[in-house]
């Protein structure tokens, strides 16, 4: 079974802190994604990566950066956390397939609270 | 990508078929229909996808109308564990990674 793990289920940080959210997948997938989920807004894509050291902005990249130094690990960084970044953060991975089947495998999520 | 419209919520009695509709009237010829679901406190889970033919797997069936402007996800015998938010997504099949745009989905409540 594909496993996507996230470093924390719950995290509380203070405004202005630098925050790292880590995601690791064990299936050698090329593609990895970071989403945030807020009530009434559904899932929104922050960043994605289709290869090591490659990244693409999603719909809401402002206030975030990412790092992909190894294939299995995709990190989301909040340079200076703000209260409007309080949210559920979901990581996903997906293999590259010639036919492009979009089966993304999601982690359990990290609920981040910024106070 | 084509936009999708789904009802906000639906109820279904346990053991009955749950039929979840999705409207995608602006879908283009090379766009697939995907369904995911998200059970409370978990990440979304892929269910099924299709282009124009009806599809069935161990989880569900997908019925796509002939004009492809709408589709229905069918859970043939809903159980309490099927209570979740169901997302209908339309996406071009492409070779490199690209995003899935999740809307707000349909909240399905399965009741005894």
């Amino acid at each position: 079974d594909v496993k996507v793990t996230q470093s924390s289920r719950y995290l509380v940080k203070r405004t202005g802190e630098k925050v790292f959210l880590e995601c690791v997948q064990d299936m050698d997938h090329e593609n990895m994604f970071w989403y945030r989920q807020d009530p009434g807004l559904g899932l929104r894509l922050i960043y994605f990566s289709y290869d090591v050291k490659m990244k693409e902005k999603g719909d809401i990249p402002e206030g975030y950066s990412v790092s992909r130094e190894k294939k299995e690990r995709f990190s989301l960084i909040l340079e200076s956390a703000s209260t409007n970044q309080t949210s559920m953060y979901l990581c996903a991975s997906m293999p590259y397939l010639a036919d492009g089947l979009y089966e993304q495998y999601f982690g359990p999520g990290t609920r981040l609270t910024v106070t | 990508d084509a936009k999708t419209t789904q009802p906000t919520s639906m109820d279904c009695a346990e053991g009955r078929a749950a039929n979840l509709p999705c409207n995608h009237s602006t879908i283009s010829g090379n766009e697939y229909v995907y369904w995911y679901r998200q059970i409370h406190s978990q990440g979304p889970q892929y269910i099924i996808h299709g282009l124009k033919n009806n599809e069935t797997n161990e989880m569900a069936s997908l019925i796509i109308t002939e004009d492809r402007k709408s589709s229905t996800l069918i859970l043939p015998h809903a159980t309490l564990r099927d209570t979740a938010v169901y997302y209908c997504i339309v996406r071009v099949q492409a070779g490199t990674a690209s995003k899935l745009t999740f809307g707000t989905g349909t909240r399905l409540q399965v009741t005894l």
Side-chain angles (χ1 to χ4, degrees):
Chain A
D1 275 354
V2 175
K3 190 148 188 187
V4 179
T5 57
Q6 295 183 229
S7 50
S8 306
R9 282 287 270 163
Y10 300 94
L11 206 54
V12 180
K13 295 291 182 181
R14 294 200 178 273
T15 302
E17 278 194 80
K18 189 169 186 176
V19 181
F20 292 86
L21 301 183
E22 304 285 341
C23 176
V24 178
Q25 50 97 0
D26 66 358
M27 284 300 290
D28 203 36
H29 288 172
E30 290 78 10
N31 309 297
M32 297 187 75
F33 306 79
W34 274 107
Y35 295 86
R36 66 176 281 178
Q37 184 170 32
D38 302 287
L41 296 177
L43 276 83
R44 293 179 292 167
L45 181 66
I46 305 171
Y47 268 97
F48 66 99
S49 168
Y50 54 89
D51 202 350
V52 175
K53 296 192 187 295
M54 306 303 290
K55 61 185 179 185
E56 292 280 347
K57 292 180 180 179
D59 298 316
I60 51 163
E62 296 78 21
Y64 304 94
S65 61
V66 291
S67 173
R68 185 123 181 247
E69 296 297 318
K70 293 185 177 181
K71 192 174 186 180
E72 68 271 18
R73 188 179 297 269
F74 192 35
S75 302
L76 180 69
I77 303 155
L78 288 66
E79 294 290 341
S80 178
S82 64
T83 54
N84 62 14
Q85 292 178 309
T86 291
S87 187
M88 170 68 83
Y89 289 88
L90 288 155
C91 174
S93 73
M94 183 177 81
Y96 172 82
L97 296 172
D99 290 335
L101 169 63
Y102 283 92
E103 182 171 355
Q104 293 189 8
Y105 297 85
F106 282 81
T110 295
R111 185 166 294 282
L112 172 67
T113 301
V114 182
T115 61
Chain B
D1 295 336
K3 183 181 166 67
T4 61
T5 304
Q6 298 177 253
T8 303
S9 64
M10 295 181 64
D11 292 329
C12 179
E14 189 176 35
R16 306 297 292 266
N19 297 283
L20 292 93
C22 180
N23 183 287
H24 32 78
S25 57
T26 60
I27 194 170
S28 58
N30 61 347
E31 289 182 308
Y32 283 68
V33 180
Y34 289 82
W35 284 84
Y36 279 70
R37 75 178 182 183
Q38 186 174 21
I39 295 169
H40 183 61
S41 297
Q42 297 181 22
Q45 174 192 24
Y46 165 84
I47 302 172
I48 199 167
H49 78 288
L51 181 62
K52 50 187 174 183
N53 297 323
N54 297 338
E55 302 288 343
T56 295
N57 63 20
E58 65 279 2
M59 289 182 69
S61 295
L62 174 60
I63 307 298
I64 303 174
T65 57
E66 194 168 338
D67 63 7
R68 303 207 327 119
K69 292 182 186 299
S70 66
S71 60
T72 301
L73 179 75
I74 301 172
L75 309 178
H77 305 287
T79 71
L80 297 177
R81 287 176 294 181
D82 292 321
T83 292
V85 177
Y86 288 78
Y87 298 97
C88 170
I89 301 162
V90 172
R91 187 70 187 95
V92 172
Q93 204 82 319
T96 56
S98 190
K99 61 182 183 181
L100 287 172
T101 300
F102 289 80
T104 52
T106 296
R107 183 171 297 278
L108 175 69
Q109 180 69 51
V110 181
T111 57
L112 291 170

